[in-house]
Amino acid sequence: MMTTSDPSSLSAPLGPPPPFDPALAPALHEINKILPPDAFTDFAFVERTRRGAIGSSTPAPEEAFTKGGTYAVEERTVPGPQGAPDISLLICLPTAASAPTPVLYHIHGGGMMTGNMRDQVPEWLDLMQEFNAAVVSVEYRLAPETKHPGPVEDCYAGLLWTAEHAVELGIDPERIIVAGTSAGGGLAAALALMARDRGGPALSAQMLLCPMLDDRNNTPSARQLTGLGIWDQASNHSAWTALLGDAQGGNDVSPYAAPARATNLSALPPAFVDVGSAETFRDEVITYASRLWHAGGSAELHVWPGGFHGFDTVVPQAALSQDAVAARIRWLRRSLPA
């Protein structure tokens, strides 16, 4: 079941890391004073992040979700996986919809260890508002308290409930996009695999933004960016160990935990995939997109020059960030025609 990396890519000499975009570098310098690249190796730091003690501790106001009355927002508790606790969904439905709408099923990031279902939802609503689309965001259990398969099974349970209640929600079950950033992008890729293998729900597309895909953590970019950016090889190792324990990096890791482990990437929904050139995940993301093409799939890949992990969220005013968002909107226009 294991798909190994190209040995030549692991042994080839590495040059210096790609430079950060000049408009992003000053912001990264300031961020690293609070969030060093290896911060997630310290679980005390993770716990402070969970409490909101790192960075901004002010939650987004409700208006950030309702968008001036454009969306009706509710939290709902729905059944979790069999034998597991119920889960929560944040459901944002367009108030002006007169017909079933597309829905973006969102999975938050946070290295599998932090974050909640409200994270980045306002930005996704900004993206989906043009399409009069709903956004449903899932609260999944976090590692290390919950190991694999708990988090991905929570996400799948929420996806099943969303599809099964499409009529009640006023959404179109033929136009479900799974999406996420970082750990959420990895979970979105895993959901696409899981939905294919379990016979549903049918997905129309997947949006994988700087996704966390490969527990082996041994690509050239993982080594080249050590000690740099927002999320380096050391933080990545800690996160995968939190999710997988001693199985991390071994021979028996499920593709539903680390989608890069999948041996069959055929019959998956069209994918939008992006990543920065100056981040740990660069090479695993490029490889995953290439393997989607090799399997006969549809994928649009963007590698943003000089982008660090999550640059578009951290420095949204930068030209590179605006280009990244514009590319997503163009892809959505093709994927969700009026």
Side-chain angles (χ1 to χ4, degrees):
M1 291 293 293
M2 180 175 175
T3 303
T4 57
S5 299
D6 177 0
S8 64
S9 72
L10 300 180
S11 59
L14 288 174
F20 294 113
D21 180 277
L24 302 177
L28 179 61
H29 177 74
E30 294 303 313
I31 292 162
N32 282 157
K33 295 176 182 178
I34 301 170
L35 180 66
D38 64 351
F40 275 65
T41 60
D42 178 7
F43 193 68
F45 179 94
V46 172
E47 290 181 320
R48 293 197 301 275
T49 302
R50 289 177 174 182
R51 296 195 305 269
I54 303 296
S56 174
S57 59
T58 304
E62 199 63 23
E63 307 86 75
F65 298 88
T66 60
K67 301 296 177 185
T70 303
Y71 283 93
V73 181
E74 68 167 312
E75 293 187 19
R76 193 176 295 197
T77 300
V78 306
Q82 186 174 6
D86 290 345
I87 59 172
S88 295
L89 297 176
L90 182 71
I91 302 171
C92 306
L93 302 176
T95 54
S98 58
T101 68
V103 59
L104 183 134
Y105 184 80
H106 171 250
I107 308 168
H108 69 79
M112 302 300 305
M113 295 188 285
T114 68
N116 64 72
M117 66 184 178
R118 288 182 167 259
D119 288 351
Q120 294 191 325
V121 170
E123 290 81 5
W124 284 105
L125 289 167
D126 288 338
L127 202 65
M128 301 307 293
Q129 202 167 347
E130 173 182 330
F131 310 98
N132 204 30
V135 174
V136 175
S137 188
V138 60
E139 191 80 271
Y140 58 89
R141 289 169 291 169
L142 299 173
E145 295 87 348
T146 301
K147 296 284 195 290
H148 175 76
V152 71
E153 291 289 358
D154 288 350
C155 294
Y156 185 72
L159 178 65
L160 273 180
W161 185 92
T162 300
E164 290 168 354
H165 291 77
V167 173
E168 173 193 345
L169 298 174
I171 63 174
D172 182 353
E174 302 296 319
R175 292 188 291 170
I176 301 174
I177 298 175
V178 292
T181 302
S182 192
L187 285 165
L191 271 194
L193 293 166
M194 190 174 277
R196 178 199 65 184
D197 296 344
R198 295 181 178 181
L203 301 175
S204 64
Q206 51 181 325
M207 292 193 77
L208 315 178
L209 309 186
C210 53
M212 178 179 170
L213 299 169
D214 196 342
D215 67 294
R216 289 164 293 196
N217 195 26
N218 61 1
T219 63
S221 60
R223 293 179 286 121
Q224 194 179 40
L225 275 300
T226 296
L228 297 171
I230 282 181
W231 182 267
D232 77 348
Q233 190 178 33
S235 281
N236 203 35
H237 175 79
S238 293
W240 281 113
T241 302
L243 181 68
L244 298 172
D246 292 340
Q248 186 267 330
N251 292 325
D252 298 315
V253 172
S254 167
Y256 303 147
R261 298 297 196 122
T263 57
N264 176 12
L265 294 182
S266 64
L268 292 170
F272 179 96
V273 190
D274 79 354
V275 71
S277 71
E279 69 163 295
T280 298
F281 294 154
R282 181 194 67 216
D283 292 334
E284 66 193 66
V285 170
I286 293 170
T287 298
Y288 196 76
S290 295
R291 292 184 59 223
L292 288 171
W293 295 320
H294 297 167
S298 172
E300 178 171 320
L301 170 66
H302 293 268
V303 182
W304 299 105
F308 57 80
H309 188 63
F311 68 91
D312 55 293
T313 300
V314 176
V315 197
Q317 72 277 10
L320 194 71
S321 303
Q322 293 176 19
D323 287 348
V325 172
R328 296 163 196 169
I329 292 173
R330 288 194 297 270
W331 180 82
L332 284 165
R333 285 174 182 155
R334 295 192 298 274
S335 302
L336 294 172

